[in-house]
Amino acid sequence: MASQLRLRSALALVTGAGSGIGRAVSMRLAGEGAAVAACDLDGAAARETVQLLGGPGSKEGAPRGAHTAFQADVSEAGAVRRLLEQVQACFSRPPSVVVSCAGITCDGFLLHMSEDDWDKVIAVNLKSIFLVTQAAAQALVSSSCPGSIINISSIVGKVGNMGQTNYAASKAGVIGLTQTAARELGRYGIRCNTVLPGFIATPMTQKVPQKVIDKFTELIPMGHLGNPDGGLFM
Ligand code: NAP
C-alpha cells in the first residue's frame, strides 16, 4: 500500500495521454496516488484516459484538483503556455511530475523526405519538449517547488533507424535537451530524465509494416514487442 500511494501528493502532467505509452503512464501514476492532468491533441482521447483512471476525478463534473483532461497541441508555444495556466488554475499548483509522451512519425527514406515531414516531426517530437520542459520548469521555479521532468525519447535516437532520419534526429535532440536541462535545473530541485523505449505495441507501431516489425522482433531478446504498461506483448 505504501508504494502504491508514494505519489499521493504529486500532480502529474502527461502529454500524449490519450493513447499508447502516455495513457499507460497516466494509469500508473494515478495508481500510485498522483492526480493526473492528462493532455492530448485529441481532447476526446484525453477524456477517455481520465475515465479509465478511476477515482472520483474520473467522473463528469469532477471536483477541482481531481484527474482532469486537457486538449493542447504541444508543438505550439501559445498552446503550451495556456496548458500550464489551465493546469495551475485547475489544481492551484504547478505539476510536480511532467511526462512528455506526445510524439508522431512521418517515415520516409532520406532521399525522398519532404521538408514538411521533417518540420512536422521536429515540431511535435522535439520543439514540444523544449516548450513543455521550459514552461513546466518556469512554473516550478517561480513557485519554489521541486519537480521531476521525464521526456520520452527512443532507442532510435541513439542507434538510428531506416526511414526515420526525422524521427531519429528529433529523439537524439530530446536526449541532448534533457541532459542539458538536468544540469541547469538541478540547482532548483528539478530532476530531468529521458527514457529511450525500444519497440512498444501502440497505435504508433501499428502503422509500421508487419515485415519491419518481424525484423525488429528478431532483435528483441524476449522475442516480443514491449507492452506500454510494462508487461510483455505476446
Ligand atoms: P501513440 O499511441 O501514437 O501516442 C502518441 C499520442 O501523442 C497520441 O495520442 C497523439 O494524438 C498525441 N500527439 C501527437 N501530436 C501531438 C501534439 N502536437 N500535441 C499533443 N499530443 C499529440 O504513440 P506511443 O507509441 O504511445 O508513443 C508515445 C511516445 O513514445 C512518443 O514520443 C514516441 O515517439 C515514443 N516512443 C514510442 C515507441 C513505440 O515503439 N511505440 C518507442 C520509442 C519511443 P493523436 O492520436 O491525436 O495524434
Side-chain angles (χ1 to χ4, degrees):
M1 178 61 86
S3 81
Q4 247 190 7
L5 295 177
R6 73 197 171 110
L7 295 176
R8 66 185 173 280
S9 60
L11 166 60
L13 169 61
V14 182
T15 77
S19 180
I21 293 172
R23 176 169 283 175
V25 164
S26 300
M27 294 184 72
R28 180 63 179 266
L29 291 169
E32 296 199 14
V36 175
C39 164
D40 203 277
L41 184 60
D42 180 344
R47 286 193 293 279
E48 247 175 62
T49 296
V50 165
Q51 292 281 329
L52 292 169
L53 297 183
S58 63
K59 303 215 168 67
E60 280 294 319
R64 268 170 88 85
H67 307 307
T68 307
F70 297 86
Q71 190 282 331
D73 177 350
V74 290
S75 66
E76 211 262 295
V80 172
R81 201 176 50 246
R82 283 191 296 280
L83 172 66
L84 265 291
E85 285 167 4
Q86 286 168 356
V87 170
Q88 288 188 89
C90 181
F91 292 90
S92 308
R93 57 184 166 137
S96 53
V97 177
V98 177
V99 190
S100 280
C101 302
I104 59 167
T105 53
C106 292
D107 294 350
F109 290 115
L110 175 64
L111 292 178
H112 309 291
M113 184 170 289
S114 68
E115 185 180 353
D116 190 45
D117 282 352
W118 171 269
D119 287 344
K120 270 195 293 199
V121 168
I122 297 296
V124 177
N125 293 4
L126 180 56
K127 185 180 173 193
S128 75
I129 297 285
F130 159 66
L131 294 172
V132 173
T133 300
Q134 185 188 54
Q138 286 170 340
L140 287 167
V141 170
S142 63
S143 311
S144 302
C145 293
S148 172
I149 297 175
I150 298 144
N151 293 326
I152 305 300
S153 172
S154 167
I155 191 64
V156 168
K158 205 172 168 194
V159 301
N161 191 23
M162 295 275 282
Q164 292 197 312
T165 43
N166 50 1
Y167 185 82
S170 72
K171 294 300 186 180
V174 171
I175 298 168
L177 186 155
T178 307
Q179 286 175 324
T180 304
R183 290 179 188 277
E184 292 187 13
L185 298 174
R187 75 191 69 166
Y188 301 104
I190 301 170
R191 293 181 292 116
C192 298
N193 288 282
T194 183
V195 177
L196 281 64
F199 285 83
I200 309 296
T202 69
M204 181 177 276
T205 40
Q206 274 164 19
K207 287 187 248 160
V208 178
Q210 190 58 44
K211 64 177 185 191
V212 178
I213 293 282
D214 291 345
K215 213 171 113 212
F216 279 111
T217 306
E218 279 171 25
L219 302 173
I220 301 169
M222 295 303 291
H224 314 282
L225 294 198
N227 192 334
D229 68 12
L232 280 179
F233 182 74
M234 308 297 282

